[in-house]
């Protein structure tokens, strides 16, 4: 019995460590994306000020280091990065089904994909943020266009499937 209890405690501790590492990794990417997003927004406004398109007073908050710019970056990260806290009540309820958490990821991909494209469209309509919008839309289009073929090619390489075998499967 003592051995079983020690083993169970060990597995429980291992699970806690794994969960903490997962959360830390998730937080790392959110912080990284926030830093990159705030840099891109500041760069866009700095270029607009330097080129004479706008005055510094026209920059959100009146400064490249303003809280308003940080809020824009924060909102973009919230809208465009998967976060399970934002899944709908229906998806949260389905987590208790046999599918478990596997329904959360696709739901977040759908939410963030829509937000990425609508955000890019909105940015492209803003002369100051247009470059960011074009980069965002192009990156999204390239990602969506290459993931499927790359996955098929990768799986074919791993499992030794030829084009003929793939066509036969279809």
């Amino acid at each position: 019995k003592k051995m079983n209890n020690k083993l169970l405690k060990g597995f429980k501790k291992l699970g806690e460590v794994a969960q903490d590492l997962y959360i830390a990794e998730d937080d790392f990417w959110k912080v990284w994306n926030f830093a990159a997003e705030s840099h891109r927004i500041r760069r866009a406004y700095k270029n607009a000020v330097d080129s004479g398109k706008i005055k510094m007073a026209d920059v959100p908050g009146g400064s490249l280091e303003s809280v308003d710019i940080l809020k824009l970056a924060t909102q973009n990260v919230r809208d465009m990065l998967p976060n399970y806290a934002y899944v709908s009540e229906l998806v949260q309820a389905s987590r208790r089904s046999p599918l478990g958490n596997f329904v959360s990821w696709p739901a977040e991909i759908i939410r963030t994909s829509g937000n990425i494209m609508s955000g890019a469209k909105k940015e492209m309509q803003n002369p100051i943020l247009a470059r960011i919008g074009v980069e965002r839309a192009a990156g999204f289009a390239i990602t969506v266009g290459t993931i499927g073929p790359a996955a098929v090619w990768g799986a074919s390489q791993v499992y030794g499937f030829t084009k003929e075998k793939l066509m036969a499967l279809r």
Side-chain angles (χ1 to χ4, degrees):
K1 268 191 167 180
K2 282 185 179 183
M3 182 64 162
N4 284 344
N5 285 342
K6 274 187 172 183
L7 193 59
L8 288 175
K9 284 181 183 178
F11 279 124
K12 185 177 179 183
K13 183 70 176 166
L14 182 65
E16 290 170 1
V17 169
Q19 184 175 7
D20 289 346
L21 287 172
Y22 177 80
I23 291 169
E25 183 261 347
D26 199 41
D27 290 346
F28 170 82
W29 289 114
K30 286 184 178 108
V31 170
W32 177 266
N33 275 279
F34 169 76
E37 196 66 28
S38 61
H39 170 75
R40 292 168 79 194
I41 294 168
R42 279 195 300 272
R43 179 188 66 192
Y45 278 102
K46 183 181 182 322
N47 289 343
V49 169
D50 290 349
S51 68
K53 286 182 183 177
I54 62 171
K55 294 180 173 46
M56 188 57 76
D58 298 325
V59 172
S63 162
L64 294 174
E65 302 303 321
S66 76
V67 171
D68 293 347
I69 286 180
L70 298 179
K71 284 180 181 178
L72 283 171
T74 301
Q75 191 62 49
N76 284 350
V77 170
R78 285 181 62 149
D79 291 345
M80 298 177 195
L81 277 182
N83 185 331
Y84 300 125
Y86 302 134
V87 296
S88 70
E89 287 182 27
L90 176 69
V91 172
Q92 288 177 11
S94 66
R95 284 179 171 174
R96 292 183 282 282
S97 76
L99 295 174
N101 287 331
F102 295 111
V103 294
S104 297
W105 176 252
E108 272 301 279
I109 294 304
I110 292 166
R111 180 187 73 85
T112 56
S113 295
N115 288 344
I116 289 168
M117 287 313 297
S118 64
K121 181 181 176 188
K122 197 165 99 176
E123 289 164 341
M124 285 190 275
Q125 292 169 345
N126 179 332
I128 296 165
L129 302 177
R131 175 181 169 182
I132 295 172
V134 169
E135 289 171 353
R136 193 178 313 282
F140 184 75
I142 290 167
T143 300
V144 169
T146 58
I147 284 177
V152 169
W153 179 84
S156 296
Q157 298 304 304
V158 169
Y159 294 108
F161 272 79
T162 62
K163 220 176 195 177
E164 293 76 27
K165 283 185 182 179
L166 224 92
M167 290 301 161
L169 279 173
R170 288 185 181 167

